Amino acid sequence: MRLLPCGDVGLLVEVADLDEVLALYAELEDLRPEGVVDMVPAARTLLLTIDPAITTPTTVATVVRGATPRPGTRPHAGEIEVPVTYDGPDLAEVASLTGMSEREVVAVHTEQEWTVAFCGFAPGFGYMVCSDERLTVPRRRDPRTAVPPGSVAVAGGFSSVYPRESPGGWQLIGRTDVVAWDLTRDPPALFSPGVRVRFVEAR
Amino acid sequence: MRQLEMIATGALATIQDEGRPGLAGLGVGVSGAADLRSLRLANRLVGNQPGAAGVEVTFGGLAFRSRDDIDIALTGAPTPATVGGVPVGLNAPVRVPGGAEVRLSTPDAGVRTYLAVRGGIDVPADLGSRATDVMSGIGPAVLTPGTALRVGDQSLAWPGVDVAAVPAPIGGDLDLRVVPGPRQDWFVDDALEVLSSGYYEVSADSNRVGMRLTGPVLQRSRDEELPSEGVVRGSLQVPPTGQPTLFLADHPVTGGYPVIGVVLSADVDLAAQAQPGQRLRLRPTKE
């Protein structure tokens, strides 16, 4: 575990992998040190943002060092089926990068159970993980300035659905009509952490 | 029902409070006033509850009237302001008689002027906050001429302060303190010296999300992709161009490029007042 400073308002905890992130996150959610206002789990890091009027990164670091991570803790927050039309502009590129055919890419994407590990980038943008590494591809070298909402994408071993039009560098393999973010819904994010996702090919 | 009727809104006027912390789990950033200190002062001057919503005015140009008497305070970027044609000072509570027009001109220094109204701006809250987040699109719409804003009735006792003695935003070169990290080890050994060796100019390509800076190029020692990770307000994120972006209020929850250092929170308020073309000096410091 490496503790990296983020000015006077945060502490970035770097661990080996996502499982360790979630194990530490589970413990710190219960143990939340005073003055920690937000926790942002990501692929290899957990960011704790703090209120500098209440605490310091040094105090929070002491609590983090004393925490006992809970391995194997992956929350479960329901299941969702997401119908996808697999005609994304990067489908051929993903096939070429993975050495599979386009149909095999679709098959691998639909046969996995994906779990939303964390959110970020934009409201409702869930980073979904699965146990299969065949769809691990890099982000595009030239990010798009406008990715259409509902785009189904993969990058870095994750999959996600773009909630709204935004810039984006992930490889687009398809599109869906499900609404990933709706402020009138509770919670507004469809893909909140712990949700299990099955992608199915729309006919 | 007391309300403000917007006559002109300048380059960008938004409703801001202290944002919506605690929602990173849904991918929602904090947002809120870009210069938090100035919004807080404006609220204190009119006896508002901490966290009440006010108006963040970018480069002046705001004009409004109220049918009823109201009390306001203006803070932040000093813009010549008039109430019913009579000049009024900043950093002070001001009584606005019903029907009088309040007009803000363009600030000579600074970017963002804050308007607090006693009672607060009363618009529906999204996820517990009335802040407009230009990055995520959450929060009230950007203000336009013709908008009517309700004035709330939540206020505290008057603080009994005629004028607050606070320094005006600096028009010349700005010094910002930077704590190295979290990813300074992704840069060549002398990158921090390069960072502090010269000036960075604030580019016109700046908004509430962040300020693009142009100056000495920061070279990376590692070329692999950094998995996206959480970033804080004040982060100096460095894309492959080697030119840092300083994240402000509407920064994303996670970023994809290494952060070489983080500007201390008090200095981010100063940075948020830097005009395009103004120069910054980034001074590495211990937290």
Side-chain angles (χ1 to χ4, degrees):
Chain A
M1 183 192 290
R2 281 209 307 160
L3 302 183
L4 309 168
C6 296
D8 58 342
V9 293
L11 185 70
L12 190 69
V13 186
E14 185 179 46
V15 293
D17 54 30
L18 180 63
D19 284 335
E20 282 193 30
V21 171
L22 296 177
L24 183 64
Y25 181 52
E27 171 71 1
L28 287 176
E29 269 209 310
D30 284 352
L31 202 77
R32 185 180 281 236
E34 198 194 351
V36 169
V37 293
D38 230 328
M39 290 199 278
V40 188
R44 285 208 303 258
T45 56
L46 178 64
L47 172 71
L48 293 93
T49 63
I50 67 174
D51 180 345
I54 299 176
T55 190
T56 65
T58 315
T59 309
V60 174
T62 308
V63 179
V64 172
R65 282 202 196 88
T68 315
R70 300 180 199 162
T73 329
R74 190 164 285 193
H76 195 296
E79 289 164 13
I80 298 172
E81 218 168 70
V82 177
V84 179
T85 305
Y86 285 95
D87 59 358
D90 300 325
L91 184 58
E93 175 73 6
V94 171
S96 139
L97 284 165
T98 56
M100 294 190 282
S101 71
E102 294 184 15
R103 290 309 306 164
E104 283 170 324
V105 169
V106 173
V108 173
H109 197 249
T110 51
E111 75 197 15
Q112 305 303 318
E113 183 187 69
W114 298 83
T115 306
V116 182
F118 54 89
C119 286
F121 175 67
F125 188 95
Y127 289 73
M128 305 170 202
V129 293
C130 68
S131 53
D132 192 307
E133 290 182 356
R134 278 179 290 170
L135 287 181
T136 303
V137 292
R139 287 175 287 200
R140 287 168 53 86
R141 288 204 67 80
D142 52 332
R144 289 187 171 81
T145 53
V147 172
S151 293
V152 177
V154 290
F158 296 102
S159 190
S160 193
V161 176
Y162 279 83
R164 65 197 289 259
E165 183 175 298
S166 64
W170 288 28
Q171 314 272 3
L172 310 184
I173 60 174
R175 58 196 157 88
T176 178
D177 291 333
V178 302
V179 178
W181 176 260
D182 179 357
L183 259 182
T184 64
R185 198 166 55 195
D186 186 21
L190 187 65
F191 304 110
S192 53
V195 166
R196 310 289 161 105
V197 179
R198 282 264 178 208
F199 293 102
V200 294
E201 186 161 17
R203 297 287 172 192
Chain B
M1 182 184 66
R2 297 176 307 155
Q3 55 182 32
L4 310 184
E5 290 148 32
M6 293 294 140
I7 299 164
T9 49
L12 175 73
T14 57
I15 298 172
Q16 296 297 339
D17 57 16
E18 294 184 22
R20 39 185 79 82
L23 296 167
L26 299 179
V28 176
V30 177
S31 187
D35 173 1
L36 269 175
R37 185 164 45 188
S38 292
L39 174 71
R40 285 175 176 151
L41 175 64
N43 275 331
R44 283 202 301 277
L45 284 167
V46 293
N48 275 349
Q49 308 263 10
V55 178
E56 180 179 281
V57 184
T58 312
F59 281 121
L62 189 81
F64 66 91
R65 80 167 77 76
S66 157
R67 229 175 315 159
D68 308 290
D69 293 0
I70 53 168
D71 296 288
I72 65 167
L74 297 166
T75 59
T79 142
T82 56
V83 172
V86 179
V88 295
L90 256 69
N91 303 318
V94 175
R95 167 51 67 98
V96 179
E101 263 182 39
V102 179
R103 285 195 172 268
L104 273 57
S105 188
T106 311
D108 294 329
V111 176
R112 297 176 169 98
T113 306
Y114 291 87
L115 162 71
V117 185
R118 182 165 167 83
I121 303 286
D122 182 18
V123 295
D126 278 338
L127 301 174
S129 161
R130 298 177 167 92
T132 298
D133 184 336
V134 299
M135 172 103 182
S136 69
I138 298 173
V142 167
L143 299 182
T144 53
T147 307
L149 293 177
R150 265 175 63 163
V151 178
D153 51 13
Q154 300 289 308
S155 49
L156 309 167
W158 278 99
V161 174
D162 287 339
V163 63
V166 291
I170 298 161
D173 298 339
L174 264 180
D175 266 14
L176 304 178
R177 292 164 295 169
V178 177
V179 179
R183 296 293 179 190
Q184 92 252 35
D185 58 343
W186 278 59
F187 296 86
V188 296
D189 286 344
D190 68 347
L192 280 177
E193 284 153 45
V194 172
L195 182 78
S196 54
S197 67
Y199 291 100
Y200 282 92
E201 193 176 296
V202 176
S203 110
D205 198 2
S206 299
N207 57 21
R208 287 180 40 83
V209 175
M211 299 163 64
R212 289 215 183 168
L213 307 179
T214 50
V217 172
L218 303 167
Q219 275 191 326
R220 272 167 65 165
S221 57
R222 298 173 62 172
D223 284 333
E224 68 258 42
E225 281 199 18
L226 177 75
S228 296
E229 60 190 19
V231 288
V232 297
R233 175 176 178 261
S235 292
L236 290 162
Q237 181 178 260
V238 185
T241 58
Q243 301 281 280
T245 296
L246 170 50
F247 279 150
L248 297 180
D250 292 355
H251 72 81
V253 174
T254 58
Y257 299 114
V259 170
I260 191 171
V262 178
V263 176
L264 286 180
S265 52
D267 290 4
V268 179
D269 289 327
L270 293 177
Q273 293 290 6
Q275 295 188 344
Q278 205 170 333
R279 297 195 305 178
L280 311 178
R281 262 198 116 122
L282 302 168
R283 305 264 191 209
T285 181
K286 289 256 178 205
E287 181 262 313

